[in-house]
């Protein structure tokens, strides 16, 4: 395939005919498996591992298909295909997840092969979005665009995607395995809450080096990952990760699914013993077989289209003038944009969390509109965030006001990114057979309660994360305010944690007290926020006030008598 960047899709790796042939063969294979299941030639137990390796879950009411969006990068053509699938095979919407994927919650088994073929036609798939394997590698939603970026992590995320896909040793690990990679000094990928978290920076001769964190994760036993190795050279990246996963595959527990994650193994062995085992495995490997030569890395990089960043000299002045004359636009710019490495451009975060909305849910019409906006304003490139929003990475500053007007007209102009209305939530008991409680209604009630944009901006940075069960798909332990659905004698209750963070100041939220019914939970959080507004010092964010004062002041507010 030509590596002329003018012909390549901007922002994502360009498939060639080998990739496309592989996907078509995979679809044909699964089509035969589905036919055998429908005919009764395969039992559900026999079919389950086959469907899981193709991203198909059997949920509470229907099948759910999880579509891979590698490191969160989409093209407008791919988004339009997702919209078509939502209209044709689902109930007119899809759901963005905290792993930068999309889920369709109302899929019929017999339609799945046709859906997978349509995905393959636009270079997409659902391989390894489930099962005990290495899942979608995630990275910073501003990768390749951010002003503070030290290097673009998408290239190495793609290398790890290719290494891990259908890896013959790692298709049936003790449990699922998640990797995230950051190329920025500001952790925007929750690196230390992953099985492996990589923080990349330039090393000698400009080639990257990596700090490798291992054993992080949330769920039943939340753990912050530990630094296993620093300054890992680029050439050894694949070999060292292979050594880590080999040790996990050999020593990870398979007798108890609740103790099967690598975080439990690292704790059980101790980090020093675990490091010794990884180093021993690493020393035995034929490193030449795994070596990432600069030519290989540069070859992968050449398969990514590069946007032609050309903006008028007065683009920033045009934006500044629009902000001075339109207060609503100015507020949205403050909350929903991110500095770009090019002076004339800016990155835009489209909130898909309107007041009273369902976090992460996007209708087919909204998907089509986002695709159109990407074509018109951002080189056809779209990014999905692990915060369940959407990013247009390269928007000219002089055209930003026009884009905002389009978003407002479509109901996608909510100015709440990073604020209390930017709630993360899993689908919960409305869809998931594992959940103890519904996440969606409480998210909607909280969003409506704090809908006033002036109030949200006054409150400032505050992350609310909601999970419907202890598996923590909503990352509640990492929220400044975390909400966990629990079952108490057949009724839905919610347990609050405070003080979590997934950023550089990583922390696990602590339980503040007994679980509360849904409506009491919403009122309790409102009292908690009121207490913060009284107790904070000037300019102090919620997490800093909490850390300064501790839990006692907030506990009194949460459990104040009605």
């Amino acid at each position: 395939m030509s590596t002329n960047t003018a012909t390549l899709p901007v922002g994502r790796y360009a498939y060639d005919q080998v990739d496309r042939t592989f996907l078509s063969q995979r679809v044909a294979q699964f089509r035969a498996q589905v036919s055998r299941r429908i005919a009764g030639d395969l039992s559900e137990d026999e079919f389950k591992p086959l469907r899981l390796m193709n991203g198909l879950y059997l949920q509470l009411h229907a099948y759910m298909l999880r579509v891979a969006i590698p490191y969160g990068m989409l093209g407008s053509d791919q988004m339009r295909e997702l919209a078509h699938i939502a209209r044709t095979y689902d109930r007119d919407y899809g759901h963005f997840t905290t792993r930068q994927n999309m889920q369709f919650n109302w899929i019929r088994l017999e339609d799945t092969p046709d859906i997978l073929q349509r995905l393959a036609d636009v270079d997409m798939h659902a391989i390894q979005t489930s099962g005990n394997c290495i899942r979608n590698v995630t990275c910073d939603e501003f990768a390749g665009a951010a002003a503070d970026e030290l290097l673009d992590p998408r290239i190495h995320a793609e290398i790890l995607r290719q290494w891990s896909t259908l890896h013959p040793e790692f298709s049936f690990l003790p449990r699922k395995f998640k990797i995230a990679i950051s190329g920025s000094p500001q952790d925007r990928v929750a690196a230390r809450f992953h099985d492996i978290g990589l923080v990349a920076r330039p090393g000698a001769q400009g080639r990257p080096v990596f700090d490798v964190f291992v054993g992080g994760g949330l769920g039943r036993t939340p753990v912050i990952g530990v630094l296993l190795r620093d300054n890992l050279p680029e050439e050894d990246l694949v070999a060292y990760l292979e050594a880590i996963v080999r040790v996990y595959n050999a020593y990870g527990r398979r007798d108890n699914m609740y103790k099967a994650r690598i975080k439990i193994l690292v704790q059980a062995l101790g980090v020093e013993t675990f490091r010794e085992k990884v180093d021993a495995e690493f020393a035995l490997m034929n490193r030449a077989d795994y070596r990432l030569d600069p030519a290989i890395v540069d070859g992968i990089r050449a398969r990514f289209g590069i946007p032609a960043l050309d903006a008028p000299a007065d683009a920033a002045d045009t934006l500044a003038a629009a902000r001075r004359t339109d207060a609503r636009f100015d507020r949205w710019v403050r909350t929903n944009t991110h500095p770009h490495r090019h002076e004339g451009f800016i990155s835009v975060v489209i909130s898909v969390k309107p007041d009273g909305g369902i976090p992460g849910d996007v209708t087919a019409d909204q998907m089509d509109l986002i695709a159109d906006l990407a074509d018109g304003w951002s080189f056809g490139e779209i990014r999905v965030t692990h915060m369940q929003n959407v990013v247009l990475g390269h928007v000219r500053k002089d055209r930003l006001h026009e884009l905002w007007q389009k978003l407002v007209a479509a109901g996608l102009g909510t100015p709440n990114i990073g604020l209390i209305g930017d709630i993360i939530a899993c689908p919960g008991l409305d869809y998931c057979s594992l959940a103890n409680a519904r996440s969606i209604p409480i998210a909607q009630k909280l969003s409506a309660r704090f809908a006033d944009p002036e109030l949200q901006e006054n409150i400032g940075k505050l992350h609310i994360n909601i999970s419907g069960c202890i598996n923590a798909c909503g990352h509640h332990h990492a929220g400044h305010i975390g909400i966990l659905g629990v079952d108490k004698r057949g009724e839905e209750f919610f347990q609050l944690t405070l003080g979590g963070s997934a950023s550089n100041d990583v922390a696990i939220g602590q339980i503040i007290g007994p679980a509360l019914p849904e409506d009491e939970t919403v009122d309790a959080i409102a009292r908690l926020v009121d207490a913060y507004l009284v107790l904070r010092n000037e300019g102090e964010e919620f997490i800093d006030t909490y850390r300064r004062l501790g839990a006692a002041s907030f506990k009194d507010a949460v459990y104040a008598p009605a």
Side-chain angles (χ1 to χ4, degrees), residues 58 205 298 382 441 462 472 554:
L58 183 56
Q205 290 81 50
D298 293 343
I382 301 161
L462 201 166
F554 296 98

Side-chain angles (χ1 to χ4, degrees), residues 228 240 243-245 247-248 273-283 285:
L228 193 67
Y240 194 71
I244 293 173
V245 185
V247 170
Y248 169 55
T273 299
F274 184 85
R275 182 182 290 115
E276 289 171 4
K277 292 185 180 297
V278 171
D279 288 344
E281 183 67 39
F282 186 60
M285 296 170 68

